[in-house]
Amino acid sequence: MNTTIDQNWIRDNYQEALAKNIIVIVLALIIIGINGMLVVTYFQIPMFHSDPRYILYISLVINDILTICITVIMFVLTYAMPNVNVSFCCVLLSLGSTTGINTPMILAGMAIERYIAVCKPLHHSQICTVNRTYVLITLIWIFSSIPALIDIIVVIALQPISFFYSLTYCQAIVVYPSVYYTQKTTATQTLLFSIVWITLFYTYFRVLCTAKIASHGHHLSSAKKARNTILLHGGQLLLCMLSYVTPVLFSVLIPLFPAHRTKITFVNYLLTCLLPRLLSPLIYGLRDQKFGRYLKRDFSCGLLIEKITP
């Protein structure tokens, strides 16, 4: 995840800075609240614990909550405490990097699970077991944490111990200033998103073919739902990828609108960090009939959910 936060934000006047912080905190609380409802519903209903689809989904939701918490902390610190302890900053950057990589990996896992459920229904229960799902989630976390661990090791090798007790502006390119970091980040992002996009395209077109072959009944309905879900995976992945084209957007927009630099940066933060996390519960939770039914039963806002769910 690109958690780059423009240092020029600290130059905002008091009213603008206050407004931005209020908007970010309120949006974050709303998203965390909605995701929290889904987490509570999941843990209250034992039926969901034995379904790999919902296990993967709730891991995505929890990962989104962590991502929002980390990015909002970094956002607020930009104004309240621009210079923070390097060790604390490294923890935030490492967690942000790990949860950011988790998102596309989990989306790919969910797409593969839907592909198996639709295209290989007779083997689904043998392939997609609960234990294997937890193993997959563990492997995703391990893989996602490797780039962050490498960054820490490189910094330890290049910097004196006193560096970790000093203060710094908490941004990756400041804490990890070596050319290696830029090259490693570019290579990791390119490899990661190439694999995920190939996975999404493959599963989507295989499910699409299955939907065309199926002429009637439950199999046709399941194939269409899986196809739409995978298509929504791609939409969410596109939003996540916006953060990686931020430098290109900045190089085009900021020269054209130099007086609105901080506003462009702020809107970019909302679109790339917060909006994708708002879509997760709307795409996979509220539109899911099972989740929708239990949400309406357990929470007083069932009237609103009833309008959203099919």
Side-chain angles (χ1 to χ4, degrees):
M1 176 187 60
N2 188 337
T3 54
T4 299
I5 299 175
D6 192 348
Q7 193 168 6
N8 286 322
W9 283 6
I10 61 177
R11 300 174 185 171
D12 290 338
N13 60 52
Y14 176 79
Q15 291 80 7
E16 187 173 354
L18 180 63
K20 288 179 178 178
N21 277 272
I22 290 175
I23 291 172
V24 167
I25 292 174
V26 169
L27 284 176
L29 290 176
I30 291 173
I31 298 170
I32 291 174
I34 296 174
N35 282 330
M37 291 166 56
L38 297 173
V39 172
V40 170
T41 299
Y42 172 83
F43 284 107
Q44 284 183 343
I45 309 300
M47 172 185 65
F48 294 141
H49 304 171
S50 58
D51 191 329
R53 175 187 177 189
Y54 292 107
I55 295 173
L56 286 169
Y57 169 65
I58 210 63
S59 69
L60 178 66
V61 171
I62 294 173
N63 186 75
D64 283 348
I65 292 175
L66 292 174
T67 301
I68 291 173
C69 290
I70 294 164
T71 59
V72 170
I73 289 173
M74 294 181 68
F75 183 96
V76 174
L77 284 177
T78 304
Y79 292 96
M81 194 184 301
N83 295 316
V84 300
N85 178 267
V86 171
S87 298
F88 177 64
C89 178
C90 286
V91 172
L92 290 179
L93 293 175
S94 298
L95 290 174
S97 171
T98 301
T99 56
I101 296 175
N102 278 345
T103 298
M105 296 287 288
I106 296 173
L107 288 174
M110 295 173 70
I112 292 172
E113 188 277 331
R114 286 294 83 199
Y115 157 72
I116 296 173
V118 172
C119 299
K120 300 181 183 297
L122 298 180
H123 303 285
H124 181 264
S125 60
Q126 288 78 31
I127 298 174
C128 300
T129 64
V130 172
N131 289 336
R132 287 180 176 177
T133 304
Y134 285 122
V135 169
L136 175 62
I137 294 172
T138 303
L139 291 175
I140 288 175
W141 273 91
I142 292 174
F143 175 83
S144 299
S145 65
I146 290 176
L149 291 175
I150 293 175
D151 291 336
I152 298 297
I153 292 173
V154 171
V155 171
I156 292 174
L158 296 178
Q159 300 287 354
I161 296 299
S162 59
F163 173 72
F164 294 93
Y165 296 96
S166 61
L167 299 178
T168 185
Y169 179 70
C170 194
Q171 188 169 320
I173 59 175
V174 177
V175 180
Y176 312 130
S178 64
V179 177
Y180 149 79
Y181 174 78
T182 303
Q183 295 174 343
K184 184 271 301 180
T185 302
T186 302
T188 301
Q189 292 171 358
T190 302
L191 177 63
L192 172 66
F193 282 100
S194 296
I195 293 174
V196 173
W197 274 116
I198 290 172
T199 301
L200 291 181
F201 275 120
Y202 177 79
T203 54
Y204 176 79
F205 285 109
R206 288 299 302 270
V207 169
L208 183 64
C209 291
T210 302
K212 289 183 178 180
I213 294 173
S215 57
H216 63 281
H218 176 72
H219 194 203
L220 176 60
S221 175
S222 299
K224 287 184 176 180
K225 288 181 179 178
R227 179 196 63 192
N228 293 336
T229 299
I230 294 173
L231 191 60
L232 290 170
H233 287 334
Q236 187 179 17
L237 189 62
L238 276 175
L239 287 175
C240 292
M241 288 182 67
L242 285 178
S243 61
Y244 300 109
V245 297
T246 294
V248 178
L249 293 176
F250 281 177
S251 65
V252 174
L253 295 177
I254 290 179
L256 294 176
F257 310 99
H260 301 286
R261 177 187 178 88
T262 58
K263 294 182 177 64
I264 294 172
T265 309
F266 177 68
V267 171
N268 170 74
Y269 173 75
L270 295 180
L271 292 178
T272 61
C273 290
L274 291 186
L275 182 58
R277 275 78 207 180
L278 177 61
L279 291 181
S280 290
L282 296 177
I283 290 174
Y284 311 113
L286 301 183
R287 69 185 287 267
D288 184 274
Q289 293 182 354
K290 290 182 181 179
F291 251 113
R293 183 167 65 250
Y294 287 107
L295 282 170
K296 284 185 284 187
R297 188 195 69 178
D298 295 338
F299 294 95
S300 59
C301 53
L303 201 58
L304 173 62
I305 296 173
E306 188 171 1
K307 294 179 180 179
I308 299 176
T309 54

